[in-house]
Amino acid sequence: MKTAAIICEYNPFHNGHKYHIEQTRKQHGATHIVCVMTGNFTQRGDVALCDKYERAGAALMSGADLVLELPVAFSLASAEYFARGAVHIINSLGCVDMLSFGSETGNDAALKEAAGAVHFALESEAFLDYMKSGMSYPAALKKTVEEYYTSDVVDILTGPNNILGVEYIRALDMAGGTIEPVTVKRYGAAHDSDELDYTISASKLRKMIRNGEDVTRYTDFCSYENYALIERLETAILAKLRTMTKSDFEKLPNGGGGIENRMVKAARTATSLPQLMLMIKSKNFTMSRIRRLILCAFLGITKNDLKSMPSYIRILGMNDRGKEILAASKDCPLPIDTSLSALSKTSDTAGRQARLEERAGNMYALALEKRKPCGTDFTSKPIIIKENN
């Protein structure tokens, strides 16, 4: 038994994701694969196009064995906390041998060197000075690495998948343990590209689905019969933010730097989501950070919610090999269950995390084309596949 973990969003699941699962088995010898997947909200600061159970089912039908949910506070966090939350779950299982991720470089050694460079840069005075001068986090980090490292290391940190891979490596180092980071070289269209290939970017695929185009060449894993759009939550989001005070905005994760002042003003003036984001935008704040902060404000997620790592492991789906992974995780220090209700009762922190998940599910239900009532996080059943794939 050689178990690999994959941290993912699958928004939506497509050929490139299937290729990654296949190559994790072929290149790295994985016999079992566990996915830690974001739920109904994603790290780019958006609603997931497809329901989490539909995406979990697609992953299981395409080679994954066990799909676990990353709690919403970490799904909507910066890359650092997104990685740390997911790695905490993986590490807690106690039976994972490697963490597999896609990258532009496909070079494990280069990614490990880049992770060391990032760690050094974040501890340096130069990085702090750049941040104090008003630079955004990514810009300050890139500038600092350029000062101390050669161009090949800097180039690694220009690829979005490389950058996330570096954060996974750093999170593994912080967690300790013996999980080995391994990568699969990405092929096909680049991240966020509009290029059409057998594997296209998830962003291009989302655009095509929204436009009613035929996407069966690129993905036939989800039905897309009742997909979600953040625009359907526009009035609810604007209404929530208009009730918030400056103190409320200051409590948001990764706030500070004056962004709370811009959010207060924008919330009281903007009449649409695009206008809201443009009013908050400045050279110091990336758009992805702004989108995440808006959704954290909408869902009531605060910086305190990132002070504790995930306190339970929620199963979204599994097959027979997935059950073998769970059997090998018998000494896991975290409670593991399919029931959010049961998990919510295991500790105070678990109760808080479960309430946020419930709230996220209730709001997501309003973003669907065919709206659903509250409580779907308690009524939805996990995806169980009887036969191995």
Side-chain angles (χ1 to χ4, degrees), residues 109-386:
L111 288 163
K112 289 178 181 177
E113 183 180 4
V118 168
H119 180 75
F120 173 83
L122 292 176
E123 297 293 323
S124 71
E125 289 292 332
F127 173 77
L128 294 175
D129 289 341
Y130 287 133
M131 288 292 288
K132 289 175 182 176
S133 72
M135 277 191 182
S136 67
Y137 176 92
L141 180 59
K142 182 175 183 292
K143 188 77 171 175
T144 307
V145 173
E146 285 174 342
E147 286 190 16
Y148 295 102
Y149 290 87
T150 55
S151 59
D152 57 329
V153 177
V154 176
D155 289 343
I156 290 291
L157 296 173
T158 60
N161 290 282
N162 287 347
I163 293 170
L164 202 48
V166 162
E167 289 299 335
Y168 294 154
I169 294 171
R170 294 184 63 233
L172 286 173
D173 289 341
M174 292 176 67
T178 59
I179 298 174
E180 180 69 16
V182 297
T183 192
V184 172
K185 184 175 176 63
R186 182 187 177 103
Y187 88 101
H191 181 84
D192 279 344
S193 168
D194 275 340
E195 180 185 350
L196 293 177
D197 201 333
Y198 174 72
T199 59
I200 63 174
S201 71
S203 59
K204 176 62 176 177
L205 190 54
R206 289 192 295 272
K207 290 178 186 176
M208 293 178 69
I209 292 167
R210 290 175 62 144
N211 292 336
E213 300 177 48
D214 181 7
V215 297
T216 52
R217 179 188 175 194
Y218 313 108
T219 175
D220 57 0
F221 311 102
C222 297
S223 67
Y224 310 114
E225 292 178 353
N226 189 24
Y227 59 84
L229 297 176
I230 196 169
E231 290 88 341
R232 297 180 183 132
L233 295 177
E234 182 177 69
T235 301
I237 291 172
L238 293 175
K240 169 63 177 177
L241 267 61
R242 286 189 176 194
T243 68
M244 295 176 64
T245 65
K246 181 181 177 182
S247 175
D248 294 328
F249 286 112
E250 288 172 343
K251 295 174 184 176
L252 295 175
N254 198 29
I259 197 169
E260 66 279 1
N261 296 321
R262 300 180 72 89
M263 292 188 78
V264 169
K265 182 178 180 181
R268 283 153 175 71
T269 306
T271 57
S272 70
L273 271 178
Q275 184 184 15
L276 178 73
M277 291 186 283
L278 286 174
M279 290 185 69
I280 300 170
K281 183 75 178 76
S282 80
K283 66 177 183 179
N284 303 336
F285 312 125
T286 63
M287 193 59 80
S288 58
R289 178 184 174 189
I290 291 168
R291 288 195 299 262
R292 287 195 298 269
L293 282 172
I294 288 171
L295 286 178
C296 284
F298 176 54
L299 297 174
I301 297 169
T302 72
K303 61 183 67 175
N304 286 336
D305 292 313
L306 296 179
K307 290 182 178 179
S308 298
M309 288 290 104
S311 58
Y312 59 74
I313 296 177
R314 185 186 186 192
I315 302 166
L316 296 179
M318 67 184 124
N319 60 20
D320 291 339
R321 282 190 297 266
K323 294 176 183 177
E324 293 172 358
I325 297 172
L326 292 175
S329 303
K330 60 182 183 298
D331 295 326
C332 178
L334 300 180
I336 306 176
D337 207 316
T338 60
S339 168
L340 186 63
S341 178
L343 291 169
S344 70
K345 299 179 176 67
T346 56
S347 70
D348 289 344
T349 303
R352 167 65 180 174
Q353 292 176 354
R355 285 193 297 276
L356 287 175
E357 211 63 58
E358 177 190 10
R359 188 181 303 167
N362 290 342
M363 295 302 103
Y364 180 81
L366 295 175
L368 294 167
E369 185 175 12
K370 298 175 183 176
R371 293 177 175 180
K372 294 182 179 180
C374 288
T376 55
D377 265 274
F378 297 111
T379 58
S380 298
K381 301 298 182 183
I383 306 299
I384 308 295
I385 301 205
K386 299 297 184 183

Side-chain angles (χ1 to χ4, degrees), residues 9-203:
E9 294 197 308
Y10 295 156
N11 184 36
F13 193 94
H14 58 65
N15 293 335
H17 299 135
K18 185 176 182 181
Y19 173 80
H20 178 214
I21 292 173
E22 291 170 346
Q23 292 304 308
T24 297
R25 294 190 188 277
K26 182 178 179 180
Q27 293 181 27
H28 301 296
T31 60
H32 296 67
I33 292 179
V34 53
C35 296
V36 178
M37 188 185 76
T38 55
N40 289 326
F41 289 84
T42 68
Q43 205 265 339
R44 68 186 289 118
D46 201 352
V47 296
L49 191 74
C50 298
D51 171 82
K52 56 191 171 188
Y53 287 102
E54 186 171 4
R55 286 151 49 224
L60 291 168
M61 294 300 293
S62 303
D65 300 312
L66 176 66
V67 182
L68 308 174
E69 182 175 36
L70 181 65
V72 65
F74 295 91
S75 296
L76 284 173
S78 64
E80 177 185 0
Y81 280 94
F82 178 88
R84 287 178 63 186
V87 164
H88 178 74
I89 291 174
I90 293 164
N91 211 36
S92 296
L93 289 173
C95 65
V96 175
D97 301 290
M98 58 185 140
L99 172 57
S100 174
F101 53 88
S103 67
E104 288 85 3
T105 177
N107 187 320
D108 294 341
L111 288 163
K112 289 178 181 177
E113 183 180 4
V118 168
H119 180 75
F120 173 83
L122 292 176
E123 297 293 323
S124 71
E125 289 292 332
F127 173 77
L128 294 175
D129 289 341
Y130 287 133
M131 288 292 288
K132 289 175 182 176
S133 72
M135 277 191 182
S136 67
Y137 176 92
L141 180 59
K142 182 175 183 292
K143 188 77 171 175
T144 307
V145 173
E146 285 174 342
E147 286 190 16
Y148 295 102
Y149 290 87
T150 55
S151 59
D152 57 329
V153 177
V154 176
D155 289 343
I156 290 291
L157 296 173
T158 60
N161 290 282
N162 287 347
I163 293 170
L164 202 48
V166 162
E167 289 299 335
Y168 294 154
I169 294 171
R170 294 184 63 233
L172 286 173
D173 289 341
M174 292 176 67
T178 59
I179 298 174
E180 180 69 16
V182 297
T183 192
V184 172
K185 184 175 176 63
R186 182 187 177 103
Y187 88 101
H191 181 84
D192 279 344
S193 168
D194 275 340
E195 180 185 350
L196 293 177
D197 201 333
Y198 174 72
T199 59
I200 63 174
S201 71
S203 59

